[in-house]
Amino acid sequence: MAGEGDLKLLGGDASQFVARVRMALNIKGVCSYEYIEQDLFNKSELLLESNPVHKKVPVLIHNGKPIAESLAIVQYVDEVWDTAGAPILPADPYQRAVARFWAAYTDDKLLRAYIGVNVAATEEERAEKVKDTVAAISQLEAVLADGGKAFFAGDSVGYLDIVVGCHLSWLEAFSKMYGVVLLDAAKSPIFAAWAARFGETEAVKGVVPETDTVAEYAKKRRAEALAAKRKN
Amino acid sequence: MAGGDDLKLLGAWPSPFVTRVKLALSFKGLSYEDIEEDLASKSELLLSSNPVHKKVPVLLHNGKPICQSMVIVQYIDEAFAGTGPSLLSSDPHERAIARFWAAYIDDKLVTSWVQSFRGKTEEDKSEGTKQMFAALDTLEGALRECSKGEGYFGGESVGLVDVSLGSLLSWLNATEVMSETKIFDPIKTPLLAAWAERFRELDGANAALPETDRMVEFAKKRQAQAAAAAAASDN
């Protein structure tokens, strides 16, 4: 396909952010790339060379040139494969600003809240973070309600759908691990319906992290976080 | 400025995030109404324009609000693509790199600098300072790569990353004065030091950056308030 060249994605099977990039590539119909799974607890030379600043996944390597930061990668994919598949960000500058605003909100408020559920040292702390997660989902429910469409982006998936959608399997994993309700279909029916709908789209085929994989990975991260807290 | 474009900026002069938007507007040659908010007593307009965060900056374009400084800067670049210079390259790879470094500045540099100022303990603060210098070191390398021998992160002319980092200059200069240390050290980070001077001299920057003296005065007041609050709560 035009523009493809040599395309590699350094990924991690638990990573929401890697999933997000793969969803973007799916939307563009870009399937022939080399996916290289990374062991995030034993990082490869290639990863360390390609993302020396953060040493994290995802990293997209296009014709030998690496790009890091999932949102920068998603926008890159949208721009390079601009005539392929469907647009990820809308064309209108104001709509783009709205999508970017909620993307920033999601990766700040929603992400921090549910990660907090995982690394909470006490039951009280966990309960607080569960509350915060539910609040963030309520906020996103309101956005969907406002838009009144099937997806955040309209009639089909777009930027904000994949930004929010990549977190769904982590929410599911933590609900199971900690016996808490994060996505309450009674409290957030529109969001719950969107989540189900999103799970059925072409964009997520084959790229959603398994909840067991997430759970295993998250347990290691929790152990790390608690050890770090004890040191201080 | 294009006819019929009404631009209002809800801001607070000490905020580097507000300065960031002012820089973008300034470099693009756009005129706007500069509305100074009293953050201790936020206006109805601010609260209704940014109900989620209730923070500045908010840009109102023909009454429609845009929030989050980085979102606003990209909006300005895209909505006014035909006006003034572009803040982002047309090349997708260069755009991705610029977005990467803009995110880095907020994630690593701003966070560590804030910690160096507002850390709860002396240990916290000095850890913040350490991380701030580490971030500046990394940005020196970024500048070398991005500038390709020219003067700015954006190459020959200022871009998104210059605006992102430049918005912190008044605060960083004020910190230099107050702590009597060099943050833009011509020996440790020569490219950044030269960039800081070059940036400050641009007409567009001059118009938007608060005076260092004014910032120092403000910072001292803030420190005194924080110390008083801490003393009051030590009972």
Side-chain angles (χ1 to χ4, degrees):
Chain A
M1 184 185 293
E4 217 148 285
D6 178 58
L7 197 60
K8 292 180 173 57
L9 177 63
L10 306 186
D13 58 2
S15 168
Q16 322 85 316
F17 306 104
V18 170
R20 177 183 288 179
V21 170
R22 302 191 80 181
M23 290 171 189
L25 290 164
N26 276 354
I27 291 175
K28 290 300 186 179
V30 175
C31 332
S32 56
Y33 58 92
E34 192 187 348
Y35 176 80
I36 310 174
E37 178 73 20
Q38 301 296 305
D39 177 355
L40 299 178
F41 297 95
N42 189 11
K43 294 176 179 177
S44 69
E45 267 314 302
L46 181 57
L47 176 58
L48 298 175
E49 269 172 23
S50 308
N51 189 0
V53 176
H54 299 299
K55 308 175 174 56
K56 287 180 174 178
V57 292
V59 183
L60 187 73
I61 309 176
H62 191 198
N63 294 327
K65 298 203 280 190
I67 300 147
E69 282 300 301
S70 67
L71 295 180
I73 301 173
V74 168
Q75 291 179 86
Y76 176 82
V77 168
D78 199 23
E79 291 166 11
V80 169
W81 285 275
D82 56 342
T83 55
I88 296 175
L89 269 170
D92 173 67
Y94 188 74
Q95 292 308 320
R96 291 161 76 88
V98 172
R100 285 178 178 138
F101 172 86
W102 287 113
Y105 175 88
T106 301
D107 281 357
D108 178 19
K109 303 289 182 193
L110 179 64
L111 175 67
R112 275 191 223 228
Y114 76 69
I115 294 295
V117 170
N118 188 41
V119 302
T122 65
E123 282 307 311
E124 285 88 13
E125 218 187 294
R126 178 161 304 122
E128 262 308 299
K129 294 302 177 181
V130 168
K131 250 173 63 180
D132 291 346
T133 307
V134 171
I137 291 175
S138 275
Q139 183 64 258
L140 293 169
E141 164 101 356
V143 175
L144 275 169
D146 245 9
K149 297 283 181 108
F151 298 98
F152 284 100
D155 298 323
S156 54
V157 295
Y159 191 71
L160 190 54
D161 297 279
I162 65 180
V163 167
V164 179
C166 72
H167 293 295
L168 290 172
S169 54
W170 278 66
L171 291 171
E172 207 187 308
F174 289 170
S175 293
K176 282 197 192 135
M177 278 165 77
Y178 298 104
V180 293
V181 182
L182 295 174
L183 207 182
D184 189 339
K187 284 195 187 147
S188 305
I190 302 177
F191 187 91
W194 164 83
R197 199 178 296 130
F198 181 76
E200 295 295 305
T201 60
E202 281 303 305
V204 312
K205 290 290 154 72
V207 302
V208 172
E210 299 283 325
T211 36
D212 290 340
T213 311
V214 172
E216 205 186 299
Y217 177 82
K219 283 190 184 122
K220 289 184 189 163
R221 285 298 183 206
R222 174 182 163 78
E224 263 181 7
L226 294 179
K229 276 186 198 172
R230 281 193 288 272
K231 262 199 216 156
N232 292 335
Chain B
M1 182 170 85
D5 276 304
D6 178 63
L7 285 168
K8 289 181 172 54
L9 176 63
L10 307 183
W13 74 264
S15 162
F17 305 106
V18 170
T19 300
R20 187 172 284 173
V21 176
K22 289 183 178 175
L23 282 167
L25 290 164
S26 184
F27 287 127
K28 292 287 272 179
L30 297 165
S31 30
Y32 60 98
E33 190 187 345
D34 187 2
I35 302 175
E36 185 72 13
E37 284 281 335
D38 175 2
L39 298 181
S41 175
K42 293 173 181 177
S43 72
E44 263 316 301
L45 182 58
L46 174 58
L47 296 175
S48 61
S49 305
N50 190 358
V52 177
H53 301 296
K54 304 175 175 54
K55 286 183 174 176
V56 292
V58 178
L59 183 72
L60 291 155
H61 184 195
N62 295 331
K64 297 206 288 193
I66 302 112
C67 311
Q68 293 290 114
S69 65
M70 212 56 90
V71 176
I72 300 172
V73 170
Q74 291 187 82
Y75 174 79
I76 289 168
D77 199 38
E78 291 171 3
F80 296 95
T83 309
S86 287
L87 295 176
L88 275 170
S89 159
S90 54
D91 172 65
H93 186 260
E94 284 181 16
R95 293 160 71 89
I97 300 297
R99 288 180 174 131
F100 174 90
W101 288 115
Y104 180 87
I105 286 165
D106 275 352
D107 190 22
K108 301 290 181 193
L109 182 62
V110 172
T111 307
S112 57
W113 169 77
V114 168
Q115 188 176 329
S116 74
F117 236 94
R118 294 204 205 144
K120 293 195 182 117
T121 63
E122 280 313 307
E123 212 180 276
D124 266 351
K125 285 185 191 175
S126 64
E127 180 59 29
T129 305
K130 214 177 93 183
Q131 290 185 19
M132 183 185 70
F133 280 108
L136 287 164
D137 214 45
T138 302
L139 287 167
E140 173 82 1
L143 180 54
R144 186 175 305 115
E145 241 183 75
C146 298
S147 62
K148 300 182 170 73
E150 301 287 349
Y152 302 98
F153 286 92
E156 285 178 339
S157 56
V158 297
L160 181 71
V161 183
D162 300 279
V163 166
S164 303
L165 185 57
S167 64
L168 306 174
L169 274 177
S170 297
W171 269 106
L172 293 175
N173 289 154
T175 306
E176 285 181 324
V177 168
M178 288 166 67
S179 64
E180 292 176 336
T181 52
K182 269 230 145 291
I183 292 182
F184 291 102
D185 189 330
I187 298 174
K188 289 189 194 157
T189 53
L191 294 176
L192 272 182
W195 169 88
E197 274 190 40
R198 188 179 304 126
F199 186 87
R200 262 202 168 275
E201 277 162 24
L202 290 167
D203 289 335
N206 246 312
L209 287 173
E211 290 286 328
T212 302
D213 292 340
R214 196 182 180 199
M215 197 57 96
V216 170
E217 204 186 299
F218 178 82
K220 282 186 177 160
K221 240 200 245 172
R222 266 280 189 85
Q223 270 188 343
Q225 285 171 346
S233 64
D234 269 342
N235 295 327

